[in-house]
Amino acid sequence: MLSSRVQELSRNLYSPAMRYFLAAAEAGSIRAASRELNVASSAVNRQILWLEEALGLQLFDRVGRRIRLSQAGELLLAHIRRTYSDFEGTVAELDALKGLRRGTVSIASVESVAEKLLPAVISSFRRSYPGIHVNVSISSSQEAARKVEAAEADVGFTFDPPETSALTIAFHHDLVIGALMTPDHPLARERKLSLQDCLKYPVALPAEGLSLRTRIDLVRGHIPGASRTYVEANSLRLMRALAREEKVIGFQTLIGCEEDLASGALVFKPLSDAPLQADRLCVVTSSLRALALAPGMFFDHAVLALKDHLPSLDAK
């Protein structure tokens, strides 16, 4: 039997003759079909007679008040059931698309991705699906991964997430960590820089707990007497401001500093230390639950956008 929603839609999309024939064939009686369809028995009978005349075939053998499908009727019934089955699948897909227009996507992101990359991804996504509610939470890499793991976010944009069976790294891209400084800084003209070179000058370090700091400390711990730290902060935006205004050296990937580099306010010098060559940007989802339709569509959209954008950063 067709669902009530499919029955309702079929009234407008399929001829009465086909629907009345189906009801009569399944009920085995014109009168029973008329009750199910809530129309007069004469109307059901008239549509079936019209269909038989149009096809030039008898569809039912009439035995008293009962009817029995003929061979031609059996073939037509099989065709109609296949057609309605396909229609039910189409209706389900249309309902899913309608749901997508009304869905919600919850995102957890690190600050650098949220500076410019994520707004562009969200804007292009909402041009296609303006009814989607997008909820964004900005946090550290560890917290972004935790939110996805704890079902507080559908999709996470993070660096170097923990290895856990509860998370799926659905997309990743390695980025080099570099030193940010003003064009007139003494190191700005150096062709090759290491972290040790930078630590001879005041620097702004990412706060402990950020993925950048973890990688920097892997190198920093092997540099004798290293630390001319100027400030520690959990905001990359603040560290870029300090690099611009106070002439200190900041550290991050190219993500998030695009405007400062384009304007010439800062320059980016890739660092040569091996642990700083692959800060891994990841898009994570939960491995414990499937994404709903709207988050799934957003994820697909985001991955395509990242694949288009990130190679341009590698080339710089």
Side-chain angles (χ1 to χ4, degrees), residues 33-143:
S34 72
R35 287 196 297 268
E36 180 183 331
L37 295 167
N38 196 28
V39 296
S41 297
S42 58
V44 176
N45 192 54
R46 186 165 55 252
Q47 289 293 333
I48 291 173
L49 291 174
W50 175 88
L51 191 57
E52 288 180 323
E53 182 178 350
L55 294 172
L57 293 166
Q58 185 175 327
L59 300 175
F60 292 105
D61 295 321
R62 290 162 175 80
V63 183
R65 295 183 176 181
R66 305 291 299 175
I67 54 176
R68 186 174 58 213
L69 284 167
S70 65
Q71 186 176 6
E74 293 279 3
L75 290 173
L76 182 60
L77 178 62
H79 164 75
I80 293 174
R81 283 175 170 166
R82 286 194 301 271
T83 301
Y84 273 55
S85 177
D86 290 343
F87 181 55
E88 282 191 292
T90 301
V91 170
E93 291 180 6
L94 292 171
D95 283 342
L97 185 60
K98 183 191 297 181
L100 178 59
R101 298 185 188 281
R102 301 173 183 171
T104 299
V105 181
S106 179
I107 301 164
S109 176
V110 294
E111 181 188 18
S112 59
V113 175
E115 289 273 345
K116 188 172 182 180
L117 187 57
L118 187 56
V121 171
I122 292 174
S123 295
S124 58
F125 178 74
R126 282 181 50 77
R127 281 195 291 271
S128 298
Y129 306 105
I132 296 293
H133 176 76
V134 178
N135 180 21
V136 182
S137 172
I138 309 302
S139 60
S140 68
S141 293
Q142 292 179 355
E143 181 64 7

Side-chain angles (χ1 to χ4, degrees), residues 31 48 99 144 193 203 240 251 256 276 289 303 313:
R31 185 169 296 178
I48 291 173
L193 279 183
V203 299
R240 290 197 302 276
F251 303 98
L276 306 181
R289 64 189 190 281
V303 168
L313 298 183

Side-chain angles (χ1 to χ4, degrees), residues 9-301:
L9 287 171
S10 70
R11 292 191 183 100
N12 297 318
L13 296 177
Y14 292 97
S15 71
M18 300 287 272
R19 292 187 291 109
Y20 290 8
F21 166 80
L22 175 63
E26 290 182 337
S29 162
I30 298 291
R31 185 169 296 178
S34 72
R35 287 196 297 268
E36 180 183 331
L37 295 167
N38 196 28
V39 296
S41 297
S42 58
V44 176
N45 192 54
R46 186 165 55 252
Q47 289 293 333
I48 291 173
L49 291 174
W50 175 88
L51 191 57
E52 288 180 323
E53 182 178 350
L55 294 172
L57 293 166
Q58 185 175 327
L59 300 175
F60 292 105
D61 295 321
R62 290 162 175 80
V63 183
R65 295 183 176 181
R66 305 291 299 175
I67 54 176
R68 186 174 58 213
L69 284 167
S70 65
Q71 186 176 6
E74 293 279 3
L75 290 173
L76 182 60
L77 178 62
H79 164 75
I80 293 174
R81 283 175 170 166
R82 286 194 301 271
T83 301
Y84 273 55
S85 177
D86 290 343
F87 181 55
E88 282 191 292
T90 301
V91 170
E93 291 180 6
L94 292 171
D95 283 342
L97 185 60
K98 183 191 297 181
L100 178 59
R101 298 185 188 281
R102 301 173 183 171
T104 299
V105 181
S106 179
I107 301 164
S109 176
V110 294
E111 181 188 18
S112 59
V113 175
E115 289 273 345
K116 188 172 182 180
L117 187 57
L118 187 56
V121 171
I122 292 174
S123 295
S124 58
F125 178 74
R126 282 181 50 77
R127 281 195 291 271
S128 298
Y129 306 105
I132 296 293
H133 176 76
V134 178
N135 180 21
V136 182
S137 172
I138 309 302
S139 60
S140 68
S141 293
Q142 292 179 355
E143 181 64 7
R146 187 203 65 78
K147 284 179 177 289
V148 173
E149 187 175 354
E152 296 174 18
D154 300 307
V155 181
F157 295 84
T158 183
F159 283 91
D160 289 333
E163 294 184 7
T164 168
S165 60
L167 287 177
T168 296
I169 298 177
F171 171 83
H172 68 82
H173 188 89
D174 290 343
L175 294 158
V176 65
I177 296 171
L180 282 174
M181 62 194 76
T182 55
D184 59 352
H185 191 281
L187 295 180
R189 295 185 180 276
E190 295 292 328
R191 295 185 62 183
K192 186 176 181 181
L193 279 183
S194 66
L195 183 63
Q196 185 169 2
D197 297 327
C198 296
L199 293 180
K200 296 173 184 177
Y201 297 85
V203 299
L205 283 181
E208 291 184 3
L210 297 182
S211 65
L212 275 169
R213 176 61 178 269
T214 302
R215 286 189 172 270
I216 289 172
D217 281 350
L218 287 174
V219 180
R220 187 165 163 257
H222 293 89
I223 300 174
S227 234
R228 295 187 64 182
T229 301
Y230 176 78
V231 68
E232 295 184 30
N234 66 356
S235 169
L236 299 181
R237 181 181 295 181
L238 173 60
M239 287 187 282
R240 290 197 302 276
L242 291 170
R244 291 192 305 268
E245 305 299 329
E246 300 295 328
K247 309 299 183 183
V248 302
I249 299 174
F251 303 98
Q252 69 173 88
T253 69
L254 280 165
I255 293 179
C257 58
E258 294 93 340
E259 291 186 5
D260 282 316
L261 299 181
S263 68
L266 295 174
V267 295
F268 179 90
K269 308 292 290 187
L271 294 172
S272 59
D273 308 272
L276 306 181
Q277 298 302 301
D279 199 21
R280 178 157 290 185
L281 171 62
C282 298
V283 182
V284 297
T285 58
S286 172
S287 59
L288 304 179
R289 64 189 190 281
L291 287 174
L293 183 63
M297 290 294 289
F298 175 82
F299 165 77
D300 291 340
H301 178 86

